[in-house]
Amino acid sequence: MTTDKKFDITVVYNGVEKSLDVEPETEVKAILARAIQLFGITGQPHLLSLFRADGTKVDEGQSAAAAGLHNGSVLYLRQDAVKGGSASC
């Protein structure tokens, strides 16, 4: 079975654009993890999220299709002001 349903999105981080191929059922959190790896980010990657051009955060619990991503979508990888780790010691 071939997977011809893949499509390309662009992720922008610090002004650098890179392309990712995704499938409609791919979870946004998996796309986020791939983007972090693609850019080689090692410092506090858990603080990063994907955002649309209008500044709205892409829901990490949704699939790419459910989040409205499609061929040619442009997402911005940046720190999420409200995202954080646990305070437990």
Side-chain angles (χ1 to χ4, degrees):
M1 177 181 226
T2 60
T3 54
D4 294 326
K5 55 188 173 177
K6 285 186 179 181
F7 57 89
D8 288 329
I9 63 170
T10 299
V11 179
V12 181
Y13 177 69
N14 284 343
V16 178
E17 295 182 6
K18 295 197 178 187
S19 184
L20 279 177
D21 62 324
V22 298
E23 295 182 3
E25 65 274 5
T26 303
E27 285 192 24
V28 172
K29 65 181 164 187
I31 297 169
L32 173 61
R34 285 180 55 206
I36 289 169
Q37 182 180 26
L38 183 66
F39 283 100
I41 301 166
T42 57
Q44 299 186 317
H46 63 283
L47 298 177
L48 299 171
S49 294
L50 293 168
F51 294 85
R52 295 177 182 85
D54 66 3
T56 58
K57 182 178 168 184
V58 182
D59 185 346
E60 294 174 22
Q62 292 185 321
S63 68
L69 304 183
H70 53 79
N71 192 49
S73 289
V74 177
L75 300 177
Y76 297 84
L77 179 62
R78 60 181 174 85
Q79 187 168 342
D80 187 343
V82 296
K83 195 172 187 180
S86 74
S88 62
C89 295

